[in-house]
Amino acid sequence: MANIKLTDSLEFPDSASPMRLLISVGVVGVIASLVGVVVNTEQFLFSYLFSFSFFISIALASMFLVMVHHITRSSWGVTLRRIPETFSSYIWVFVLLFLPILFGMETLYSWTQEQYSWFYEGLREHKSPYLNTTFFIIRNVIYFSIWSYLGYSLYKYSIKMDETGDWGIDTTLRKISAPGIFFFAFTLAFASFDWIMSLNFDWFSTMFGVYFFAMSFQALFAILILMSLYLRRQGLLLNTITRSHIRDLGGWLFGFSVFYAYIAFSQFFLIYYANISEEILYYTARFEGNWEILAFIFLFGRFIIPFILLLPKKSKSNYKLLFAVSTLIVFSHLVEFYWLVMPPLHSSFSFHWLDLATFLAFAGIFMGMFFYFFKRQSMIPKNDPKLQESLSKH
Amino acid sequence: MSNTSAYVKEAPLVKGNHTFSSITALVGDIVEKPTPLWWYIAFGISNLVMAMMFVMVGWLIWEGTGVWGLNNTVAWGWAIINFVWWVGIGHAGTLISAILFLFRQGWRTAINRFAEAMTIFAVMCAGLFPAIHVGRIWVIYWVFPLPNQMQMWPNFNSPLLWDVFAVSTYFTVSLLFWYVGLVPDFATLRDRVKNKLAAKIYGICSLGWTGGNRQWQHYEKSYLILAGLATPLVLSVHTIVSFDFAVSIIPGWHTTIFPPYFVAGAIFSGFAMVMTLMLIARKIYGLKDIMTDDHMEKMNIIILVTGWMVGFAYIMEFFIAWYGGVEYEKFAFVNRAIGPYAWAYWIMMSCNVIAPNFFWFKKMRRSVTVSFILSIVVNIGMWFERFVITVTSLAQDFIPGSWAYYSPTYVDVLTYVGTFGFFFTNFLLFLRFMPMVAIAEIKMVMPQADVHNYDENGELLEDKH
């Protein structure tokens, strides 16, 4: 049997780590955000929630990808798997990062306030068995416990396989993943209801959890492409993460761009078509004034342009094009979260410096953690039973 | 690298150490050998049942939709339920043949051919119901936007019209996809059959296939393109079917999760149907080496996953019906669970959400009996899902004075039963005259076809690492 040898070094060298940059970005972001807390608490909280949603969506989507990878016994992505594994390994950090939202929930979520518009007469009382502070906290404790456990154990066992070379761990990982996906689906849906949907607590959509997932999963593939290209640029894993792996990522990105569009459109379309006041106000608020511009940015940025550009087979292995499209999609993902989170605060879109400050703070922390953990281990699951198959992929 | 006992290796896709020619013989013999007696019996029964369907349809057209159990509020009864159910069944075929193909899932090759055949016949059964439901079937062509002197057009804003386009496009592409896949196998049969006339017919069907390099290139390319086209189509069909309900503002119908929920439900019921047919077919034709227990296990996992997707949607719907605070929505859902049709709701819940949980256990996933029973249970459950959606949402409408209990008439029931006759008549013809397994494709996924599976001396490796 043709035995393809690993020719690349699996150590992530210090020289490739953008740690210094990330620390400075993070420090600037954190200081600016702290200033923001004092200057404009309300704006800070909304900007914070927006940045929080963006980064946790990447971590959660990563966790889902790892679990799906295990239960389907996929081989194509083995060489890539350490990246999402690392992203989701430190979801526990988000427990701490969630605290500002918890402390600021009376500002963020109008259902916590006694005073609210006459329009919602009775609704707050009706929803109070679900939307109340205590239950909100309990639910979030449940979400974060499940995710922290899953993210950390998927990582830990994979590392253990690196060290011991025990292929039996593959079975353990699948045994974690199968129920993991089950719990993931429900917790993710309810978390998206709690964090984002309940900002407008009059509004409801059964699709919202799926919508949040579809957004995140699409963005994850863009992030993975950017990460792989970054490693390539640093001259790392050139024969391990090959053109064919990146081409597959491109294929997934294309597929999930369509999936995202399908879900987002279905949700919008059904509400638009029925045009009843219980639901339509959510969208009318988001199509008013210059909010509409944002909607068009992500409509083109994460569906129409990527769809056209990624459709030809060739473009899926064109690194420059993939880089451009992935950047556009990540940006659009950001814009879409902004569009979901901000309208309760501002009736028209106006960029605030705190949006950038909280984003930089999160970027510094999230990516800093990533490189911190990524450096400590081999960059790929080097003793995975499917590694050979993944390496010989063409 | 160490290899411990806890590691479960993936099983080969074809068992029994077959050679390429023994696979051809295994599948080809089904068509070439004389027709077995059971086939005539089954075909006869199917024909009778199908004839009953034609009688019922004839009676309906003669007498009008009054022969059905429809009433004031439930103007959409069994016909739409059966339509959605049959279309849903069809989806698994396309999923197996197109989506799993794009995902490079080699195991699809054992079941794709007859799953696609199932798709085509199921869509035909489905198409019957809206067609006969229009009332005046002699003007059925009005569903198409044909220019006419009356300046009369179908309503382009209606999902029912989109259905016409979606289903007919889907049917066409599925048929083409199926046929393209059949071409190399028709050629195999052409070269094997002894009967001159049969050879001639298979020869015509195989479009001059010689198995040349260029032909394979074109074949692979067209197969990929058709798979790429079929994938969005399968999503669009059930999405639009879900729009039939969800665009309206009927409580219980208007909910945003409907599109992906319907698609998941369709795949769920379709896989269950493929399972039922597969277990029967492999028993009768002795195809256990091709349709192995591992295939069964994989399909059961898909049934479990899609079952929970449907379960997820049920739970979301119920939660949001309360959370939304819309009085009518809440009533519709509570009424489903404890109202006059609660029996149907709980059949649906137990068949679709509770029953598939047996498949969490490996033993159950690999048990033929359990798989067979559950596959039927799931199909019953999915029929009731459509019943619950359609009937419970309509029966108790906004005016309590018009509430009446909906029950079907014998015409409803016998028409539905009759479609099984239609389905199995076609399916039996398919089993008899066409290769029921994709011979050319299955050879590509055999351990013998894997270049990494031989040692330096050209001997087959027993162990894959």
Side-chain angles (χ1 to χ4, degrees), chain A residues 66-87:
Chain A
V66 173
M67 292 192 291
V68 168
H69 203 276
H70 288 307
I71 59 161
T72 54
R73 292 167 153 256
S74 302
S75 62
W76 70 274
V78 171
T79 57
L80 294 159
R81 205 179 73 212
R82 190 53 44 87
I83 303 172
E85 259 172 9
T86 310
F87 273 137

Side-chain angles (χ1 to χ4, degrees), chain A residues 1-2 4 71-74 76 111 123 126-131 164-171 174 178-179 182 185-186 189-190 193 197-198 200-210 247-248 252 256 258-259 262-263 265-271 273-276 278-279 313 382-389 392-394, chain B residues 1-11 103-105 155-159 162 221 224 232 235-236 238-239 242-243 245-249 253-261 263 298 301 305 308 311-313 315-326 328-330 357 360 362 451-456 461 463-465:
Chain A
M1 163 170 197
I4 293 169
I71 59 161
T72 54
R73 292 167 153 256
S74 302
W76 70 274
W111 50 263
L123 261 187
H126 171 77
K127 298 190 182 192
S128 62
Y130 182 80
L131 291 180
T164 61
D166 176 6
W167 283 6
I169 291 175
D170 184 68
T171 311
R174 270 185 292 126
F182 176 84
F186 284 97
F190 281 102
F193 292 169
M197 196 170 89
S198 81
N200 294 74
F201 74 90
D202 59 311
W203 189 66
F204 53 90
S205 167
T206 42
M207 182 81 113
F208 201 80
V210 186
R247 190 181 57 215
D248 271 6
W252 283 108
F256 277 91
V258 178
F259 180 73
Y262 167 63
I263 296 294
F265 174 75
S266 297
Q267 176 174 264
F268 167 75
F269 177 76
L270 289 175
I271 290 173
Y273 195 110
N275 198 19
I276 54 178
E278 290 93 330
E279 303 168 335
K313 195 176 179 181
K382 60 184 176 193
N383 284 332
D384 195 278
K386 294 266 180 189
L387 183 62
Q388 273 300 322
E389 215 175 309
S392 54
K393 204 175 122 35
H394 43 77
Chain B
M1 261 175 237
S2 62
N3 193 348
T4 57
S5 55
Y7 177 61
V8 186
K9 216 168 38 139
E10 246 178 299
F103 283 174
R104 305 195 199 113
Q105 296 292 308
N155 180 2
F156 288 103
N157 290 334
S158 165
W162 310 339
K221 187 130 258 176
L224 181 66
L235 286 169
S236 84
H238 234 63
T239 297
S242 81
F243 282 176
F245 299 94
V247 296
S248 64
I249 47 172
W253 284 5
H254 179 64
T255 169
T256 48
I257 207 167
F258 255 40
Y261 149 47
V263 173
K298 288 193 171 87
I301 292 174
V305 171
W308 265 110
F312 175 87
I315 292 167
M316 286 303 140
E317 273 186 335
F318 225 103
F319 172 71
I320 295 286
W322 169 79
Y323 176 88
V326 181
Y328 305 103
E329 196 74 26
K330 210 168 63 185
N357 288 308
W360 283 103
K362 195 176 180 83
V451 288
H452 298 301
N453 210 32
Y454 293 88
D455 64 11
E456 290 80 7
L461 285 174
D463 190 286
K464 262 204 92 179
H465 19 72

Side-chain angles (χ1 to χ4, degrees), chain A residues 75-123:
Chain A
S75 62
W76 70 274
V78 171
T79 57
L80 294 159
R81 205 179 73 212
R82 190 53 44 87
I83 303 172
E85 259 172 9
T86 310
F87 273 137
S88 56
S89 67
Y90 51 89
I91 288 188
W92 56 267
V93 173
F94 282 94
V95 176
L96 304 175
L97 295 175
F98 189 68
L99 292 177
I101 295 172
L102 213 54
F103 290 127
M105 63 184 286
E106 298 209 352
T107 318
L108 280 169
Y109 300 105
S110 51
W111 50 263
T112 55
Q113 297 149 11
E114 292 292 334
Q115 295 293 320
Y116 55 92
S117 164
W118 57 269
F119 185 79
Y120 304 129
E121 193 66 53
L123 261 187

